[in-house]
Amino acid sequence: MFRYIVRRLLQMALAFFGTTLLVYAMMFAAQGDPIQALAGEKPVSASQRAVLTERYHLDKTGIDGFLYRYWDYVSNLMRGDFGTTLAGRSISDVLQAAWPFTIKLALMAISFVIVFGITAGVIAGIRRGSLFDTTTLLLTLVVIGIPVFVLGYIGQYLLTNKWRLFKPTANDGSLYSLLLPALVLGMLALATALRLTRTSVAENLRSDYVRTAKSKGLPQRRVIGVHVLRNSLIPVVTYLGITIGDLMSGAIVTERIFNVPGIGFNVAKGIQTEDGPLVVGIISLLVIVYLTSNLIVDVLYAVLDPRIRYE
Amino acid sequence: MTDIQIQLDRVADDAHLLDVRDLFIEFHTRDGIAKVINGVSYHLDAGEALAVLGESGSGKSVTAQAIMGILDIPPGKIVSGQICYNGRDLLSLPEKERRQVRGKEIAMVFQDALSALNPVFPVGWQISETLRHREGVARADALRRAVELMELVRIPAAKQRLRDYPHEFSGGMRQRVMIAMSLALSPKILIADEPTTALDVTVQAQVMDLLAELRRELHMAMILITHDLGVVADVADRIAVMYAGRIVEHADVHDLYAVQGHPYTKGLIDSIPRLDHKGQELATIQGLPPSLMDIPRGCPFHPRCPYRKDPICSTQVPTDQRLASGTRTSRCHFAKEVLDGTAA
Ligand SMILES: Nc1ncnc2c1ncn2[C@@H]1O[C@H](COP(=O)(O)OP(=O)(O)O)[C@@H](O)[C@H]1O
Ligand SMILES: [Mg+2]
């Protein structure tokens, strides 16, 4: 297990450099004159240009120059220095202001998935073919079939504009204001987790060990609540881990729709304003979140299922 | 009915520890109704071992599941019959009381321990589960008891293996874990459903010997389900032979090995490979077991029977014929002739 984790960490480092390099390249390849972009509409004097060229190592050209600047950026990143946005704000400050929104949003979304998705999935799995099962099947198919932004705008229109249950934007960060965005963000994962749980429970209910547990004279609630559930949740927990990464990228759309000033909102803004440092900084961070949550999932998988052994 | 009659019935009930009477079970499936159990009756006395023998699909497991109350209902349906344990009909007990019988009065060992044990819990946890949750034994004490049970079924280094998972055991050891688990609440009856079928030949004999020893040591009654006549002789006192959901012959083990009172049993015995008949072609029973959706009229065995006499065998369902010694029965129109060897 230890060797496995070390190997995975090395793979993570590779993946990290790979993705940041790619994003860095894409973001800066699109730009014409970075110094002019930095200055915006204002004219840039020759001496200013020289200073900036010096500071950002723009004198080196070609692939060498690019790699040099990338390395400079990444080593700053690893010291926790994200640099500044084109507008001159420290990116660390931007992130610090944005994170709480996104984390709250993601936690709420994942709570919806766990509380509603898994519970409904377990019930549907136990009562296969019942009205409840058929209804949830239909609803989840609808949710899975509709893109998040459509769902988001419809939800926003109905619940805020028409029925006025929520405010259309959620920039005060209160839990209530984040309720609707979190629901929209978690909807797809909720539907998927529900279906996954249902299938898994239904499958496990047919297993031989369920018959054994019954023959031991255990009450039904223990047979299902302990024996079946413990087995059924293995794939579901794994899915939830992977979902954390998806929620991060889902946040880009959801936060934009509801104007939640979180991480996703800032990425969207950064892309629109061609703010290279901001976009690359946030994406790098998301990559780390994604890779870490994947590693945790894999380790968790081995903990949950004793038959899995990593070498 | 008078009081005296009721009392007489009660006495008759009490005569056997377990008494399965005229059991009929169907499975309602998409393809139709399968008549899986068609009037099975057998009984078991305290401390006694009964072997239930029959080709696969003859309804041995379904009967056992009905006794345990773990039948899948639906698709299964108990149409009629009684399963009396200590004089009480289990089929008419409410689920709550029925549950108390499972594991504690009657326990069961399944065929494939790898799938019958829960893959994600350590064996010590699984063996001690009923002690903790039904008897209220403290965790540490229950685990100590689990070690004793594992030693009882002769698992080496039992204490070290307490935290191991089922997949970490060999097939034979895993079946021993299963047996230890079934013994946790000291049941009066152990039903072993093909306990060695999934094992290597060399291990089969060891597990079978263990079951025989345990039965003697613990004074348990046992129902040993098998399709292999070879393994039961040393373990069982009596044999009930099943065919298409009926007991077609019932006799003491040694009587049955000596002579058979039903053509089907005769076919089974003749198809056991024997050293003294080396070189001879092995006898087999012609044809296939009937479809339970469409059981032949008359004697269900008649299409495969070398002794059949039409029209009686193909039109009349044979009833139990009592044969010479005490409890021996056969469901064949020509039981006596088959037994005497005068049937043709
Ligand atoms: N859950 C079930 N659903 C449908 N049919 C079943 C079920 N369980 C058993 N059967 C049928 O009952 C018949 C007897 O099965 P079983 O008692 O398992 O035979 P065996 O004598 O080999 O143990 C078989 O034909 C089987 O297909
Ligand atoms: Mg069977």
Side-chain angles (χ1 to χ4, degrees):
Chain A
M1 185 67 139
F2 176 73
R3 286 182 50 178
Y4 173 77
I5 292 177
V6 170
R7 207 172 66 221
R8 281 295 303 267
L9 285 173
L10 289 175
Q11 281 172 3
M12 272 173 65
L14 265 180
F16 175 76
F17 287 120
T19 32
T20 46
L21 186 67
L22 214 64
V23 177
Y24 190 85
M26 287 194 303
M27 212 54 222
F28 290 98
Q31 278 178 2
D33 180 356
I35 291 174
Q36 189 59 59
L38 191 59
E41 300 296 305
K42 286 176 287 180
V44 185
S45 72
S47 62
Q48 277 173 322
R49 185 170 281 275
V51 171
L52 288 173
T53 303
E54 172 76 31
R55 185 188 308 163
Y56 293 115
H57 310 289
L58 291 174
D59 45 341
K60 294 204 171 55
T61 52
I63 187 78
D64 273 357
F66 170 75
L67 284 179
Y68 188 91
R69 288 189 295 274
Y70 168 72
W71 181 247
D72 198 44
Y73 175 76
V74 166
S75 43
N76 282 338
L77 205 59
M78 281 187 292
R79 280 196 302 272
D81 176 9
F82 283 86
T84 55
T85 65
L86 288 185
R89 269 187 80 190
S90 147
I91 291 179
S92 299
D93 290 349
V94 174
L95 290 178
Q96 249 164 37
W99 265 123
F101 288 96
T102 302
I103 287 179
K104 256 190 234 165
L105 198 59
L107 283 180
M108 282 171 75
I110 211 112
S111 309
F112 285 138
V113 175
I114 292 170
V115 174
F116 298 113
I118 294 183
T119 313
V122 170
I123 295 173
I126 294 171
R127 308 209 188 127
R128 244 163 321 142
S130 67
L131 185 65
F132 182 85
D133 184 29
T134 334
T135 314
T136 49
L137 172 66
L138 218 70
L139 285 177
T140 49
L141 283 181
V142 169
V143 168
I144 291 171
I146 297 177
V148 177
F149 69 89
V150 176
L151 216 61
Y153 281 123
I154 292 176
Q156 192 179 40
Y157 173 72
L158 289 180
L159 294 176
T160 65
N161 300 4
K162 215 169 151 72
W163 299 327
R164 304 193 178 280
L165 290 175
F166 296 96
K167 280 190 285 177
T169 54
N171 48 16
D172 62 357
S174 72
L175 289 187
Y176 183 74
S177 70
L178 288 176
L179 216 54
L180 186 58
L183 201 59
V184 170
L185 177 62
M187 203 49 109
L188 184 62
L190 192 155
T192 315
L194 195 157
R195 304 243 42 90
L196 191 64
T197 312
R198 177 208 183 260
T199 312
S200 184
V201 167
E203 203 173 278
N204 273 286
L205 276 173
R206 279 196 297 270
S207 314
D208 285 354
Y209 70 77
V210 173
R211 183 166 279 169
T212 312
K214 274 190 208 150
S215 79
K216 288 162 87 174
L218 300 169
Q220 181 77 355
R221 100 189 95 78
R222 186 169 170 86
V223 173
I224 291 177
V226 175
H227 286 262
V228 173
L229 211 57
R230 176 66 176 68
N231 278 279
S232 309
L233 289 186
I234 295 173
V236 181
V237 170
T238 310
Y239 170 73
L240 285 187
I242 295 167
T243 303
I244 292 174
D246 289 347
L247 287 184
M248 293 293 157
S249 46
I252 298 179
V253 178
T254 317
E255 291 182 353
R256 192 81 195 88
I257 296 174
F258 293 96
N259 283 314
V260 181
I263 296 290
F265 181 83
N266 278 290
V267 176
K269 207 171 70 182
I271 292 172
Q272 270 173 354
T273 57
E274 290 187 26
D275 193 331
L278 183 65
V279 173
V280 178
I282 294 180
I283 300 278
S284 307
L285 209 64
L286 290 184
V287 167
I288 292 176
V289 171
Y290 207 89
L291 291 174
T292 317
S293 64
N294 268 343
L295 177 63
I296 292 173
V297 166
D298 285 351
V299 173
L300 203 60
Y301 194 43
V303 173
L304 287 177
D305 190 343
R307 287 163 297 184
I308 306 288
R309 276 282 162 273
Y310 294 126
E311 295 305 320
Chain B
M1 236 200 293
T2 64
D3 286 354
I4 293 172
Q5 263 176 318
I6 290 171
Q7 266 180 346
L8 279 176
D9 282 357
R10 179 71 50 80
V11 170
D13 286 349
D14 288 347
H16 297 302
L17 181 61
L18 180 74
D19 200 351
V20 179
R21 285 191 210 151
D22 238 356
L23 194 62
F24 283 82
I25 297 175
E26 294 174 346
F27 279 94
H28 293 243
T29 66
R30 213 169 279 163
D31 305 326
I33 298 176
K35 300 200 152 136
V36 171
I37 304 296
N38 304 292
V40 163
S41 301
Y42 58 64
H43 63 88
L44 190 70
D45 293 323
E48 191 195 27
L50 169 75
V52 177
L53 186 79
E55 284 167 300
S56 106
S58 56
K60 308 179 297 289
S61 300
V62 168
T63 313
Q65 285 162 16
I67 295 171
M68 289 300 292
I70 54 171
L71 206 57
D72 296 323
I73 300 176
K77 182 179 175 213
I78 298 181
V79 180
S80 63
Q82 287 180 312
I83 298 172
C84 294
Y85 175 76
N86 268 333
R88 285 200 303 172
D89 183 11
L90 297 179
L91 296 181
S92 59
L93 285 186
E95 170 60 21
K96 215 175 148 200
E97 287 173 53
R98 185 77 193 276
R99 185 164 72 72
Q100 299 303 324
V101 176
R102 280 180 217 137
K104 192 157 178 169
E105 307 293 334
I106 311 175
M108 187 156 170
V109 169
F110 295 88
Q111 173 174 335
D112 181 7
L114 184 59
S115 61
L117 291 167
N118 195 321
V120 301
F121 294 113
V123 298
W125 186 97
Q126 297 191 51
I127 294 173
S128 62
E129 187 182 14
T130 47
L131 291 167
R132 284 179 285 123
H133 290 277
R134 293 188 60 188
E135 307 286 273
V137 178
R139 219 177 81 95
D141 294 334
L143 283 178
R144 215 166 297 134
R145 179 81 186 111
V147 175
E148 286 169 17
L149 286 162
M150 285 165 80
E151 281 164 353
L152 183 69
V153 298
R154 323 218 197 313
I155 295 174
K159 199 167 182 171
Q160 285 89 288
R161 306 222 62 182
L162 210 53
R163 286 163 163 277
D164 286 358
Y165 291 89
H167 72 273
E168 295 171 303
F169 287 77
S170 68
M173 285 300 147
R174 200 152 45 220
Q175 191 56 281
R176 284 164 198 260
V177 169
M178 181 92 229
I179 295 170
M181 188 166 83
S182 71
L183 297 177
L185 300 178
S186 316
K188 313 281 182 309
I189 300 177
L190 184 67
I191 303 178
D193 189 354
E194 314 223 9
T196 61
T197 305
L199 303 177
D200 291 344
V201 183
T202 46
V203 186
Q204 286 187 355
Q206 294 167 12
V207 171
M208 210 43 96
D209 287 348
L210 174 73
L211 283 171
E213 281 172 45
L214 287 172
R215 179 171 77 88
R216 276 194 296 274
E217 280 176 42
L218 306 172
H219 309 291
M220 274 186 309
M222 194 160 101
I223 297 176
L224 177 64
I225 296 171
T226 178
H227 65 255
D228 185 358
L229 246 180
V231 303
V232 297
D234 305 327
V235 185
D237 304 312
R238 287 184 292 118
I239 293 193
V241 181
M242 269 185 99
Y243 187 79
R246 294 174 178 84
I247 304 292
V248 294
E249 182 166 9
H250 171 244
D252 285 352
V253 170
H254 298 288
D255 296 347
L256 188 116
Y257 273 92
V259 275
Q260 297 83 44
H262 194 285
Y264 177 62
T265 322
K266 203 167 164 52
L268 287 179
I269 296 268
D270 289 345
S271 58
I272 301 175
R274 285 168 58 168
L275 284 176
D276 53 337
H277 288 193
K278 225 174 174 176
Q280 281 187 16
E281 205 181 317
L282 210 58
T284 51
I285 303 173
Q286 298 286 313
L288 294 169
S291 156
L292 298 173
M293 306 257 179
D294 184 22
I295 297 175
R297 263 162 53 81
C299 171
F301 187 60
H302 85 262
R304 305 170 73 186
C305 183
Y307 302 106
R308 68 183 268 197
K309 287 207 174 57
D310 291 330
I312 179 162
C313 291
S314 57
T315 53
Q316 289 186 31
V317 181
T319 50
D320 264 341
Q321 313 278 314
R322 224 165 250 286
L323 293 172
S325 70
T327 56
R328 182 157 199 180
T329 60
S330 163
R331 262 181 198 243
C332 173
H333 292 299
F334 303 100
K336 292 199 172 62
E337 289 84 343
V338 174
L339 192 72
D340 301 340
T342 56

